[in-house]
């Protein structure tokens, strides 16, 4: 950045005269007897620095100039908790020392630190949505730059099962309360039993046929990654529980599907003749070859 020094007796031209900022020579853009335009030295770190003008070996009084750390870009600009972010800018200092990087005031773990680039991890506990990244050097804060944190599903427990069971969705940045956030299974909205920033307990939407479905958490309009849940048919009861070939039995359960279609019922691998089929009940005849 450029800055202008106002004063007197600088001389009409620069010649061998110089300007220093914190002991570092500044590049001169223009020079006159009463004003000098300079560039802030690139390698200077953030903080309060003294500015001197030296003319014919005679040094002026000083004026303090505050150098601000400046963020010019983030890469990437969105991600999940624990992902790495490269912060580009100036005046960060060659080493971290007591300097910090925060996401909405939450301190981030630093992987590497340089005067023009810092690599950090998105801190745990940060909420999904737009977060402001700030670098603080020598107690001086940089400009803020926006980073979008997305919710992340790490696992489902269980990852398969019948309709009617509850599933625990574990991950990050779900938010402390549900609010307007949702969980979908195969695009169908799931019922919510409990909600926290790292775990959600959901119920499987009714009417789903056995299949593999993607589970997605959406927070503030931001969808998470997806995790697969295998919805399987489940037998609860067989009535009667014993008998001979040719007997009619009723199988009760869930997630059988409303119609039989290509679905089958077997006894030790032998297909049975089905008389009625619904999502929770099947009536069939015990095969003669069983």
């Amino acid at each position: 950045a450029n800055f202008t020094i106002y004063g007197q007796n600088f001389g009409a031209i620069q010649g061998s005269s110089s300007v220093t900022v914190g002991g570092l020579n500044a590049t001169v853009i223009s020079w006159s007897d009463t004003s000098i335009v300079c560039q802030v030295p690139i390698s200077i770190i953030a903080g309060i620095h003294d500015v001197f003008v030296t003319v014919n070996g005679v040094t002026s009084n000083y004026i303090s100039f505050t150098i601000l750390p400046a963020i010019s870009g983030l890469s990437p600009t969105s991600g999940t908790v624990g992902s790495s972010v490269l912060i580009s800018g100036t005046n960060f200092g060659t080493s971290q020392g007591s300097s910090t990087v925060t996401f909405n005031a939450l301190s981030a773990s630093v992987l590497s630190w340089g005067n023009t680039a810092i690599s950090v991890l998105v801190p745990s506990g940060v909420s999904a949505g737009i977060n402001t990244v700030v670098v603080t050097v020598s107690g001086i804060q940089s400009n803020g730059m926006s980073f979008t944190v997305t919710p992340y599903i790490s696992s489902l427990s269980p990852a398969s099962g019948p309709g009617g069971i509850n599933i625990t969705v574990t991950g990050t940045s779900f938010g402390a309360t549900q609010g307007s956030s949702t969980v979908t299974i195969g695009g169908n909205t799931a019922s919510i039993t409990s909600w926290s920033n790292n775990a959600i307990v959901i119920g499987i939407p009714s009417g789903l046929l056995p299949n593999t479905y993607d589970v997605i958490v959406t927070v503030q309009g931001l969808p998470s990654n997806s995790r697969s849940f295998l919805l399987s048919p489940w037998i609860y009861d067989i009535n009667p529980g014993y008998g001979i070939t040719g007997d009619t039995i009723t199988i009760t359960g869930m997630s059988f599907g409303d119609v039989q279609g290509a679905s089958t019922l077997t006894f030790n691998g032998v297909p049975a003749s089905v008389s009625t089929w619904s999502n929770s009940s099947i009536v069939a005849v015990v095969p003669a070859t069983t």
Side-chain angles (χ1 to χ4, degrees):
N2 294 343
F3 66 99
T4 302
I5 304 169
Y6 296 98
Q8 58 187 4
N9 301 325
F10 297 150
I13 60 173
Q14 179 180 3
S16 61
S17 302
S18 63
V19 176
T20 58
V21 181
L24 298 174
N25 285 324
T27 300
V28 173
I29 305 300
S30 65
W31 191 289
S32 73
D33 192 54
T34 57
S35 66
I36 305 169
V37 178
C38 301
Q39 280 185 348
V40 176
I42 293 175
S43 58
I44 200 166
I45 66 171
I48 299 174
H49 299 275
D50 295 335
V51 178
F52 290 93
V53 177
T54 300
V55 180
N56 294 326
V58 180
T59 301
S60 71
N61 62 316
Y62 70 87
I63 295 289
S64 294
F65 183 80
T66 301
I67 305 294
L68 304 175
I71 299 175
S72 58
L74 304 176
S75 180
T77 57
S78 65
T80 61
V81 165
S83 61
S84 61
V85 181
L86 180 64
I87 304 170
S88 301
T90 54
N91 307 325
F92 298 148
T94 55
S95 60
Q96 180 181 3
S98 60
S99 302
T100 61
V101 176
T102 56
F103 287 66
N104 274 14
L106 291 175
S107 294
S109 296
V110 174
L111 299 177
S112 64
W113 192 289
N115 194 48
T116 58
I118 305 168
S119 180
V120 298
L121 297 178
V122 179
S124 61
V126 72
S127 300
I130 297 175
N131 288 256
T132 302
V133 179
V134 174
V135 177
T136 302
V137 181
S138 300
I140 301 172
Q141 290 187 343
S142 71
N143 57 312
M145 192 153 286
S146 295
F147 182 87
T148 301
V149 175
T150 55
Y152 178 77
I153 301 175
S154 57
S155 65
L156 303 177
S157 180
S160 64
I165 66 169
N166 286 337
I167 305 169
T168 299
V169 183
T170 304
T172 56
S173 303
F174 298 150
T177 59
Q178 180 182 2
S180 61
S181 302
T182 60
V183 180
T184 57
I185 301 178
N188 300 278
T189 302
S191 59
I192 306 299
T193 300
S194 66
W195 190 292
S196 71
N197 193 54
N198 301 110
I200 307 168
V201 179
I202 63 173
I204 299 173
S206 61
L208 293 182
L209 297 179
N211 206 338
T212 299
Y213 295 96
D214 288 336
V215 177
I216 296 174
V217 178
T218 300
V219 180
Q220 294 190 28
L222 300 169
S224 69
N225 59 315
S226 64
R227 293 288 178 181
S228 294
F229 179 81
L230 175 61
L231 180 62
S232 57
W234 197 263
I235 297 174
Y236 289 145
D237 184 56
I238 300 174
N239 186 31
Y242 62 92
I244 61 173
T245 59
D247 282 355
T248 297
I249 63 171
T250 300
I251 299 171
T252 304
M254 63 191 334
S255 301
F256 298 153
D258 292 330
V259 296
Q260 180 177 4
S263 303
T264 60
L265 173 68
T266 59
F267 287 71
N268 276 8
V270 179
S273 175
V274 174
S275 57
T276 64
W277 188 293
S278 71
N279 193 52
S280 58
S281 178
I282 301 171
V283 179
V285 176
V286 179
T289 56
T290 297

